[in-house]
Amino acid sequence: MITPKKPVSRRKFLTASVAMGAAGLAAPAIAQSFDPYTGQPLQGTAGGATPDAGMVQYDAAQDSRRNISSFRMQDWQPYFSSLTNGAILVDLTSRALHYWSEDQSVYKLFPTSVPVSADLTRTGRTEIIKKVEGPSWAPTPEMKKRNPEWPDFVPPGPDNPLGTHALWLSWQYYRIHGTHDTRKIGRKSSNGCIGLYNEHIKQLYDLTKIGTQVLLI
C-alpha cells in the first residue's frame, strides 16, 4: 500500500468511505461477533436487550448490498382456492409478502425479511390466530437454552424485535411482525419469522383478521 504524500482531507475520506460502502466493502471489525443461535455474523452495534435489537444477521452466501429485494405482483389463484378471510402469500425467494382482501378490492405487496438459514425456515399453509398491537417478546425455550443470558421477557418498545404490531400464526413461535431495525428488510435476517417495516405491518394488521389464510413458499 502506498502512503499518500499529502494528508487525506476529511471530505475525501468520507467520499471514499461512502464508495466502499456502496461496493459492499467494509473494514474488518476489531472483534467479529456471531449470533449464537444461527451462527451468522452480526454487524452493527448491540443496541438493546435482544439479538434483533441494533444488529443485523447477514447470510454470507448472498449479496446483501441492497436493502430491498426484487419482487413483482402475483395472482392469488395459483396459490389459493378462494380468498375467504383474505390471503397472505410470503415468497421467501423474492422476500416479498402479498395480501389480497376477500372481495379482491385490496392488493398489497410489501418487502420482508426472511429466515437467515434453512433450518429456521418453515413453508406451507397456516393462518392468523392472534393479532397484537405493541407486542412483547420472549425467547423460545431453544433460544433460551442456547443463550441463557438473554432476557426472559422484553416489553413493547424500541428494543423489542417484534416491532409495533405482530400477527401470530398457527405454527408455534412463528409470527409476521414489524421491526425497528429497517436494515433487516429485504434480507435473510430473522430467526424464523417474517418481518416488515413498521408502517407496513400496521397496514397489514388493519387489513387482516383472525382466520386470514397464510402460505409461505
Side-chain angles (χ1 to χ4, degrees):
M1 180 176 179
I2 300 174
T3 304
K5 294 181 179 180
K6 296 180 180 181
V8 178
S9 68
R10 181 176 182 273
R11 181 176 182 180
K12 288 184 178 180
F13 174 77
L14 291 175
T15 302
S17 299
V18 170
M20 290 180 67
L25 302 176
I30 295 176
Q32 175 69 67
S33 59
F34 293 84
D35 185 288
Y37 185 61
T38 66
Q40 293 293 325
L42 296 171
Q43 297 187 19
T45 57
T50 72
D52 284 0
M55 287 189 173
V56 181
Q57 299 166 341
Y58 286 89
D59 179 359
Q62 60 104 22
D63 185 348
S64 295
R65 289 177 296 177
R66 296 182 179 180
N67 201 39
I68 301 296
S69 60
S70 61
F71 53 90
R72 59 185 176 82
M73 182 181 296
Q74 293 281 3
D75 181 11
W76 65 270
Q77 291 177 320
Y79 305 102
F80 301 96
S81 60
S82 74
L83 289 178
T84 302
N85 294 325
I88 291 172
L89 173 70
V90 178
D91 186 337
L92 299 173
T93 300
S94 62
R95 299 166 205 165
L97 182 149
H98 306 260
Y99 169 80
W100 298 269
S101 63
E102 183 169 2
D103 63 3
Q104 301 187 51
S105 65
V106 178
Y107 170 76
K108 295 289 185 180
L109 173 57
F110 300 124
T112 72
S113 64
V114 298
V116 76
S117 59
D119 60 308
L120 295 172
T121 301
R122 184 166 183 175
T123 58
R125 296 186 184 278
T126 178
E127 65 181 43
I128 295 173
I129 62 169
K130 181 180 177 180
K131 301 173 58 176
V132 178
E133 182 174 357
S136 58
W137 178 86
T140 66
E142 184 177 357
M143 287 180 182
K144 191 65 176 177
K145 182 179 179 180
R146 291 174 180 266
N147 307 278
E149 74 281 6
W150 285 7
D152 294 324
F153 176 83
V154 178
D159 288 344
N160 194 299
L162 300 187
T164 60
H165 299 73
L167 305 173
W168 265 239
L169 304 180
S170 62
W171 300 334
Q172 189 176 26
Y173 305 129
Y174 284 81
R175 315 276 188 264
I176 298 173
H177 61 79
T179 178
H180 298 293
D181 190 344
T182 58
R183 297 170 299 171
K184 287 179 166 291
I185 304 304
R187 293 188 171 118
K188 293 182 178 181
S189 59
S190 82
N191 281 316
C193 295
I194 303 301
L196 281 74
Y197 290 118
N198 280 330
E199 56 266 34
H200 290 164
I201 190 63
K202 172 63 166 62
Q203 293 180 44
L204 190 64
Y205 182 94
D206 292 340
L207 290 167
T208 55
K209 63 180 71 174
I210 304 301
T212 293
Q213 307 171 72
V214 179
L215 172 61
L216 277 74
I217 61 172

